[in-house]
Amino acid sequence: MIKKKICLLGAFAVGKTSLVQRYVHSIFSEKYHTTVGVRIEKTQVRANDTDVDLIIWDLHGEDDFQHVRLSYLKGSSGCIYVADGTREKTLMTALNLKEIAENTIGEIPCVLVINKLDLKDQWEIDPLVLDDMKRNGMMIFQTSAKTGEVVQQAFQLLTRKMMEK
């Protein structure tokens, strides 16, 4: 069995924990729980005809970049950077965390998730910015942890990309 570690990084309250709970347990809770430190979940998936044990590290929300626990990133095979579509500044936080992670552990497969698709009419993130990022090679998913929309696809694509490395 192959083991792969994924880290979820993003600002406070973007939906990291909700995305993990939706993906691993197919559940969503309206109750907000602040992650303190790191929460680790495990699940088994099949990718590229191989069984994979995913160890998913849900890192506490981070807006002050100096406090990222860089040691949490060690051994990661992939990262999911999460932004909240209703709060434009969370996209910059996610991109800054991506830069910090790459400076710490090098380039590894990653995806950018813009969460809260169920609130699309309240989004502040400019779709043209996302289109530009896609043209520059960023894999971007618009998800809803609440409805489950596109959550599986984001994790599955990242897992396939990690298996190719």
Side-chain angles (χ1 to χ4, degrees):
M1 178 76 64
I2 294 175
K3 292 183 189 292
K4 296 286 183 182
K5 176 180 172 182
I6 296 174
C7 284
L8 271 80
L9 296 154
F12 290 101
V14 293
K16 296 178 300 295
T17 300
S18 294
L19 286 164
V20 173
Q21 293 303 305
R22 171 62 72 186
Y23 180 65
V24 175
H25 302 292
S26 299
I27 59 172
F28 177 81
S29 172
E30 291 283 353
K31 292 186 181 126
Y32 177 70
H33 296 288
T34 301
T35 301
V36 178
V38 65
R39 180 178 297 169
I40 300 172
E41 292 278 355
K42 294 180 183 177
T43 190
Q44 281 190 351
V45 297
R46 190 147 183 86
N48 301 356
D49 296 323
T50 306
D51 289 326
V52 182
D53 260 344
L54 288 183
I55 298 107
I56 303 170
W57 287 50
D58 170 11
L59 304 185
H60 63 95
E62 196 56 79
D63 286 312
D64 177 357
F65 309 127
Q66 303 312 312
H67 293 106
V68 175
R69 287 262 172 93
L70 299 177
S71 60
Y72 288 158
L73 300 172
K74 301 241 185 292
S76 296
S77 299
C79 284
I80 297 177
Y81 300 98
V82 184
D84 173 348
T86 69
R87 294 185 294 145
E88 186 177 27
K89 70 177 190 157
T90 64
L91 177 59
M92 292 315 302
T93 300
L95 296 175
N96 285 332
L97 287 166
K98 180 179 186 298
E99 189 176 320
I100 290 168
E102 287 176 352
N103 289 338
T104 303
I105 57 175
E107 269 194 50
I108 58 175
C110 69
V111 297
L112 173 63
V113 166
I114 312 298
N115 196 33
K116 305 191 183 178
L117 187 57
D118 53 294
L119 302 174
K120 182 84 180 211
D121 60 334
Q122 298 172 34
W123 276 27
E124 295 178 352
I125 295 176
D126 185 343
L128 296 175
V129 170
L130 297 179
D131 289 344
D132 193 44
M133 291 170 64
K134 284 180 189 174
R135 276 194 295 282
N136 288 317
M138 177 69 80
M139 289 181 287
I140 301 173
F141 291 88
Q142 296 181 14
T143 66
S144 170
K146 185 173 188 174
T147 66
E149 200 170 349
V150 192
V151 174
Q152 293 274 2
Q153 293 92 317
F155 278 91
Q156 286 170 343
L157 179 72
L158 180 60
T159 302
R160 284 198 307 274
K161 292 289 181 192
M162 291 185 311
M163 295 298 290
E164 292 168 7
K165 277 205 111 179

